[in-house]
Structures are given as C-alpha cells and as structure tokens.
Amino acid sequence: MNENALTGGKIFPTLMKFALPFLVANFLQLLYGAIDLLVVGQFCSTAAVSAVSTGSQVMKTITGIITGLATGATVLVGQYIGANKKDDAAKTVGATVALFAVVAVILTAIMLLLATQVALIMQAPQEAFDQTVEYIFICSAGIIFIVGYNAVSSILRGMGDSTSPMIFVIVATVINVGLDLLFVAVLDMKAAGAAYATIIAQACSFVFALVYLKIRGFGLSVKKNYVRLEKQKTSGILRFGSPVALQEALVNISFLIITSILNGKGLVESAAVGVVEKVICFTMLPPSALSMAIAAMTAQNIGADRPDRAKKCMMYGILFTFAIEAAIVLFTELGGGRILLSIFSPDKEVIEAGFVYMRSYIFDCVLVCFIFCMNGFFNGCGKTVFTMAHSLIATFAIRVPFAYIMSILPDTGLFEIGLAAPIASIVSIIICIVYMRTGKWKNYKITKTKESELL
C-alpha cells in the first residue's frame, strides 16, 4: 500500500477515488438501519417497530460518539504519514488500540446498567417499553464490536485506505440482512431478533477485519510495547477526537429535541417529519462522504506541509457536491419530493405533510456542501474544537430555538419549521468563512513543531 498516495497526483481524481468507498460505506450503514426497521415492520407489531426505532436512535448516538472520537486517530495518523514519520504513526496505532479498548469497556458497562433508564428518558411507549429495553440492552452488549470496527477503520483511513473499511461494512450488511430474516421473519423474535442480528453482524465484521489485517498488515511496524496509553499520542487522539465526539452527541440530542417539538403537532405531522429525515439522510450522503475523505486527505497533506493542495481538495469537494445537491433540490421542488417520500410511506396525508416540510428543509442540502467540506478540511488541520463550536452555535442558538418559536406562533406550520435547518447552516457558513480568512487554521504544522508543543 502506498500510504502517501493522497499527497501526490491530480487532486480531483485522487479525491474521488478515495471518497467513493466512503460513499458506499455510508450508504450501506444507512441501509443497514433501514433494513432492520423494514423487516420488523413487515413481520411484527407496531410495538416492535417502536422499540427498534427508539432503540436505534439511542445506538446511533453512541455510534456517533465513537466515530467522532475515531476522527482523532484518523487525523493524527494521517498527519504523521504525510510527514513520513512512520514510527510515530505506528505508536499512534498502538495508542488507538489501547484507548478504544478502554472506551469499549466503559461504554458497554454504562449502557448495560442504564438500559431501562435510557428507555424511560426516551419516553418509550408503554406497549413497547419492555422490547425497547431489551433492544438497547442487547445492542449495548455489542458496543465492543462497534468500537473495534471504528478504531481499525480510523487508522486505515488516516493511512489513505478507505476501501478496506467499506469491505467491512459490506460484510456486516450482508450478514445482518440474512439474520434479520431468520430471527424476525422465521423465528418471530421481534425487536430482540433485530438486535441479535445487528450485534452478530457487527461481531462477524470485526473478526473479518482482524483476520484481514493479520494477513495484509497495517503497513506499519506496530510493536507490542506500542499498545499502551502513551501520554502524548493518547492526548493527541483525544484532543482531535473529543470535540467531534461531543459534537456528534449534542447534535443527535438536538434532533431528538426537534422531533419532540414536532411530535406535538399531531400524528400525521410526526410521521411526516420522521419520513423526511430518512430521505434527507440519503440525500446528504455525498457531502457527508466527501467530508470524511477531505479530512483524511487534508491530514496527510498538512503533515506533508502542502496546505494549498489541502485547500484545493476542499474546493473540489464543495463544487462536486454542490452540483449533485442542487439537482436534488430542483427535483424535489418540481414535485419529485413526493416520489422520494412515497418510498418510505404509502400514506397520502403523510406524504403531503412531508412534502410541505421538505420544500423548505431541502435547501439545507446545498448549504451543507459548504459546511461538511469545510469541516472536513478543518478537522484534517486538527481544528476539531472550532468545528464543534460553530456546529453547536448553529444548532442550539439558531436551529432548535427557531424550530420551537415557529411551532408555537399562529399561522405557522411545517414549512416554516423546516426553515430552521437552512437558516442555521447559513450561520455556520458565515462563521467558517470568517475563520478561514483569519488564517488561524494555519497553526497546525506537525512537521515544524515539537510534539509536546503540538499536543
């Protein structure tokens, strides 16, 4: 494997080749959760559907925290690889393994002990309460596999390999589909069946990843004594990863708050908003995938002291995703939104209400092209505290209050509430542009400072 592939060659083809596996992996991960709900919805009661839906939201938050923390490993490994400091990169790999082992134990213990309390906080319906607790408990037992997959994938992405993590997700998706059908459709295990299918698929994917890496290797000489919580490497991972992890946690919580606000508008509106969120998740796949690719590519180029190449990578990402998302917005506004919504719900009232909400919300798709790609660039520079800060300002100072105000004002509806997302994104874009112009992101150079100064 040529670890330095991201620092040479034509920028756009290199970015696209590296980003494609991210796109496929992200799509499969979304499909992964959708299949669980689809199978349960076809073969089980409404209570089971509610349990899986609520439990999935909880596990999505946990996964977001883990993937956010893993960003720290991607950035640090990527910068060391770009700077051709392979021994430091190897030590970072060892520190990542040790740190994520600790994280896995702590998160698993917390979630197993608090499964019932979490279901209470989520206000799981009484009819679905026991199944919700069971789903969360079973999935929590598999947190170690989620942590393991993300630790391995973060290291590989930092080294310029986005294909292997995609393969691991493909393995998990195929196994999950088969086990969902067996446990839920054939054995009638309800929500618990979906949970068992999920953790077994994750376990198989993680084992496959370990075997794959044992045969192929990381491409670095990772000695046994490197696998420890070495102070400088561990603090570097936490410094870069913790802000992203906190951001993921709080943003997910904000979505739960907004969902709660909209649930008060009525059953049709509540269902419509849920369907729109599913559609939006799929439409935002391109900028999300490019953001992750830009972060890894920027990290290597920053390590190689090539900031101009990193900035061009960001600009290419913005232009490419903007073209895609602009087409999606046009399609939606011309009536195609109804077609997209009908994939997830046959209810005409839900589709019409969802289309009203989506017509304003959909403009966020073109705006996040700027935000996601700039966030990827800033994360690659190690400025994860900034990306966390502007995201939380836009979310909690603009989006949540705006949605709440629009929900209580007379003569306002889903269209006005849907404006909260694009308005918040505009604020984020302004903050990012101002920060970019200040040049503060340039204080990154791992190759020109002592490690103690960097960390």
Side-chain angles (χ1 to χ4, degrees):
M1 178 173 61
N2 180 8
E3 294 109 342
N4 291 307
L6 302 183
T7 59
K10 293 183 178 180
I11 298 174
F12 185 68
T14 301
L15 176 63
M16 290 298 102
K17 183 179 179 181
F18 187 57
L20 182 60
F22 280 99
L23 182 61
V24 174
N26 287 359
F27 174 78
L28 289 174
Q29 285 180 324
L30 279 177
L31 193 63
Y32 196 103
I35 289 171
D36 272 355
L37 206 57
L38 179 63
V39 173
V40 170
Q42 290 295 318
F43 297 100
C44 299
S45 65
T46 302
V49 174
S50 175
V52 173
S53 177
T54 302
S56 296
Q57 287 183 345
V58 173
M59 296 313 298
K60 180 184 176 184
T61 301
I62 296 298
T63 302
I65 294 171
I66 296 167
T67 55
L69 193 59
T71 300
T74 298
V75 171
L76 200 57
V77 170
Q79 289 195 0
Y80 280 132
I81 289 294
N84 200 30
K85 295 185 175 183
K86 293 188 177 181
D87 191 56
D88 282 312
K91 289 178 180 177
T92 303
V93 170
T96 300
V97 173
L99 176 61
F100 276 71
V102 174
V103 170
V105 171
I106 293 173
L107 283 178
T108 300
I110 291 173
M111 292 303 297
L112 290 178
L113 290 172
L114 300 180
T116 301
Q117 286 73 15
V118 171
L120 285 169
I121 292 171
M122 291 295 295
Q123 299 185 56
Q126 190 60 43
E127 302 88 344
F129 188 83
D130 289 342
Q131 287 195 67
T132 303
V133 172
E134 189 175 23
Y135 184 91
I136 294 172
F137 186 88
I138 294 169
C139 286
S140 296
I143 285 176
I144 186 173
F145 306 122
I146 301 174
V147 172
Y149 160 77
N150 280 284
V152 171
S153 297
S154 67
I155 294 165
L156 290 171
R157 286 165 177 161
M159 296 175 65
D161 178 7
S162 59
T163 302
S164 298
M166 177 191 70
I167 295 172
F168 306 153
V169 175
I170 291 173
V171 171
T173 302
V174 171
I175 294 173
N176 187 61
V177 171
L179 292 180
D180 265 336
L181 293 172
L182 174 62
F183 292 158
V184 178
V186 178
L187 300 180
D188 193 28
M189 293 172 66
K190 301 181 176 62
Y196 280 119
T198 296
I199 68 166
I200 292 173
Q202 289 168 343
C204 291
S205 177
F206 180 50
V207 171
F208 175 82
L210 293 179
V211 173
Y212 180 89
L213 290 174
K214 184 175 179 60
I215 295 172
R216 185 184 180 198
F218 267 123
L220 295 170
S221 179
V222 182
K223 301 173 184 177
K224 289 184 179 180
N225 65 330
Y226 286 0
V227 183
R228 61 191 180 92
L229 294 175
E230 194 270 332
K231 183 179 179 180
Q232 290 180 327
K233 299 298 186 292
T234 303
S235 64
I237 296 168
L238 291 173
R239 179 194 174 195
F240 293 147
S242 294
V244 184
L246 180 60
Q247 174 189 332
E248 288 288 340
L250 293 177
V251 168
N252 272 296
I253 290 171
S254 77
F255 278 112
L256 295 178
I257 293 171
I258 292 173
T259 298
S260 176
I261 292 171
L262 291 168
N263 281 346
K265 302 291 287 185
L267 182 61
V268 171
E269 287 81 359
S270 175
V273 169
V275 172
V276 170
E277 288 294 348
K278 289 181 182 179
V279 173
I280 292 293
C281 283
F282 279 97
T283 58
M284 288 189 178
L285 276 173
S288 177
L290 265 292
S291 173
M292 299 171 73
I294 289 169
M297 195 164 172
T298 296
Q300 283 203 16
N301 282 281
I302 290 300
D305 200 16
R306 302 192 65 185
D308 289 341
R309 180 178 171 86
K311 286 180 66 176
K312 288 179 181 178
C313 175
M314 176 189 70
M315 295 305 301
Y316 277 125
I318 291 173
L319 292 172
F320 177 75
T321 55
F322 183 85
I324 294 175
E325 298 302 316
I328 292 173
V329 170
L330 182 62
F331 174 76
T332 300
E333 292 295 327
L334 292 177
R338 293 187 178 90
I339 298 173
L340 297 176
L341 294 170
S342 66
I343 296 173
F344 293 94
S345 174
D347 190 313
K348 291 184 179 180
E349 281 190 276
V350 171
I351 292 173
E352 285 306 312
F355 183 59
V356 172
Y357 182 55
M358 194 175 179
R359 288 197 67 185
S360 55
Y361 191 173
I362 196 66
F363 286 102
D364 197 41
C365 289
V366 293
L367 296 172
V368 297
C369 296
F370 297 89
I371 298 170
F372 284 15
C373 291
M374 285 191 286
N375 276 352
F377 173 76
F378 292 133
N379 285 340
C381 292
K383 302 303 179 181
T384 54
V385 172
F386 169 73
T387 61
M388 175 194 71
H390 84 76
S391 296
L392 297 186
I393 289 171
T395 299
F396 289 100
I398 307 297
R399 185 174 184 182
V400 172
F402 187 92
Y404 175 71
I405 292 170
M406 288 299 105
S407 71
I408 61 175
L409 286 177
D411 301 322
T412 57
L414 290 178
F415 182 87
E416 289 78 15
I417 295 172
L419 290 171
I423 289 174
S425 291
I426 290 171
V427 172
S428 265
I429 291 172
I430 293 171
I431 295 173
C432 286
I433 291 174
V434 171
Y435 184 76
M436 177 71 78
R437 291 178 67 86
T438 65
K440 291 183 178 180
W441 59 272
K442 296 178 182 179
N443 181 26
Y444 56 74
K445 295 182 180 177
I446 192 171
T447 55
K448 294 188 178 180
T449 58
K450 294 179 180 179
E451 189 176 63
S452 59
E453 294 173 349
L454 172 73
L455 305 180

